[in-house]
Amino acid sequence: MPFGVLQEMPGVSEGEYRLVEKHLGPDRPPGLLAHVAGPAPDGWRVINIWESEDAFRRFQSERLIRAAGLAAQQEGFDPGKAAGFRSVTVDGAELPF
C-alpha cells in the first residue's frame, strides 16, 4: 500500500533544505514514487509518496537520518519534524518513472 510522508520544517529555507539533499546524494531511493518540496508559509515542506511504509523506513534508517545528521554537524542545519500518513489513492501513471 502506498505510504505518504509529510515533513514540515518551520523556519527552514530552501538553502537549508538543499544542505540535506546534498548529503543524500544523487541516487533515487528505491521505492520512492514521488517527491515534492517547496516553500510553506512558515518554512519548507516536503511530501514524498513511497511504494510502502517499509520502503520509507529503510530510506529513513539507511540514508535520511545520516544525511540530516551530517548537515547538522557540518553545516548547522536544524532538522524539522516529520509526520506520516497512509495514502488512499496515488495516481502517477503519467509520471516518467
Side-chain angles (χ1 to χ4, degrees):
M1 170 183 280
F3 182 75
V5 177
L6 169 66
Q7 186 175 13
E8 297 284 353
M9 297 184 281
V12 172
S13 68
E14 179 178 359
E16 291 169 311
Y17 160 77
R18 299 252 182 235
L19 294 175
V20 176
E21 267 197 339
K22 177 177 96 174
H23 291 286
L24 282 173
D27 298 339
R28 183 181 187 86
L32 179 62
L33 300 175
H35 172 79
V36 178
D42 62 344
W44 200 256
R45 179 178 295 138
V46 177
I47 302 169
N48 289 320
I49 305 297
W50 296 86
E51 288 177 354
S52 65
E53 184 174 355
D54 287 343
F56 165 68
R57 298 292 175 205
R58 254 188 322 278
F59 166 73
Q60 183 182 41
S61 66
E62 294 172 4
R63 291 179 63 183
L64 183 58
I65 291 171
R66 180 181 179 279
L70 286 171
Q73 273 185 330
Q74 296 175 9
E75 297 158 282
F77 174 73
D78 183 13
K81 298 177 182 176
F85 63 94
R86 289 218 176 268
S87 301
V88 175
T89 345
V90 175
D91 182 6
E94 72 282 1
L95 299 174
F97 47 82

